[in-house]
Amino acid sequence: MATITLGGNTTHTLGELPTTGSNAPEFQLAAKDLHQVSLNDFKGKRVVMNIFPSVDTGVCAASVRHFNKNASNLEDTVVLCISRDLPFAQARFCGAEGLENVVTLSDFKDGSFGKAYGLEIEDGAFAGLHSRVVIVLDEDHKIVYSEQVSEIGQEPNYETALNALN
């Protein structure tokens, strides 16, 4: 269990992030058209997972914009923006913002992604949502970088995450 804060108030995740060097757990998430997407769908590509509570908050939206801006410059890399938002809300946000370089995926059905990756918030106002995390995978889907952001209201360290791809 990780201890994080939301507006300075202590809260916890239900587990710990998978360790660097380990294989990323497989997942099934909903795409904007509701079809199921798995990690295996990105076989042979490096993956940046930008995980957050909701696209309808300022910091979460900023992280999607930031990774969208940088994603077009990344070779053989896909950026997945993952939350428990409905796929329709994710699509609406990206459409309104003109964001085309990231893939939004939703864990709305059963929260299994958040549980498997140990990042579901367990208590407090955001209980049941995902904590703010960035996980970077190499082309074999081994974890090369992860960051559990200690304060949900803060942005992740984009530079360090993207440098893990070098």
Side-chain angles (χ1 to χ4, degrees):
M1 163 185 320
T3 299
I4 56 176
T5 58
L6 172 61
N9 298 310
T10 300
T11 189
H12 304 91
T13 63
L14 101 104
E16 297 291 332
L17 297 179
T19 58
T20 300
S22 67
N23 290 322
E26 184 54 68
F27 58 74
Q28 292 285 320
L29 295 167
K32 63 183 173 185
D33 63 0
L34 299 180
H35 83 275
Q36 293 294 294
V37 173
S38 73
L39 181 58
N40 197 46
D41 291 328
F42 304 102
K43 192 173 192 159
K45 290 199 177 276
R46 301 179 305 171
V47 177
V48 176
M49 292 191 272
N50 175 35
I51 307 155
F52 49 86
S54 174
V55 76
D56 287 323
T57 65
V59 176
C60 300
S63 72
V64 175
R65 286 187 205 103
H66 188 93
F67 280 116
N68 181 75
K69 178 180 168 189
N70 287 288
S72 61
N73 301 326
L74 304 173
E75 286 189 35
D76 297 320
T77 304
V78 62
V79 176
L80 308 179
C81 294
I82 303 169
S83 70
R84 297 223 43 202
D85 291 299
L86 289 174
F88 315 115
Q90 294 173 332
R92 181 189 67 241
F93 171 79
C94 288
E97 296 279 332
L99 306 178
E100 299 176 349
N101 299 320
V102 295
V103 176
T104 56
L105 297 172
S106 177
D107 193 19
F108 82 97
K109 285 190 176 186
D110 60 9
S112 60
F113 175 86
K115 291 174 180 63
Y117 280 77
L119 53 83
E120 180 178 306
I121 299 170
E122 157 172 276
D123 52 18
F126 280 14
L129 297 178
H130 294 159
S131 58
R132 187 173 317 286
V133 171
V134 175
I135 298 175
V136 179
L137 312 177
D138 68 11
E139 58 279 348
D140 297 318
H141 295 164
K142 289 200 183 296
I143 298 171
V144 296
Y145 173 83
S146 67
E147 176 190 9
Q148 169 70 71
V149 180
S150 60
E151 165 56 51
I152 295 170
Q154 293 179 346
E155 294 182 57
N157 187 330
Y158 302 112
E159 184 177 345
T160 303
L162 294 172
N163 283 341
L165 295 167
N166 296 329

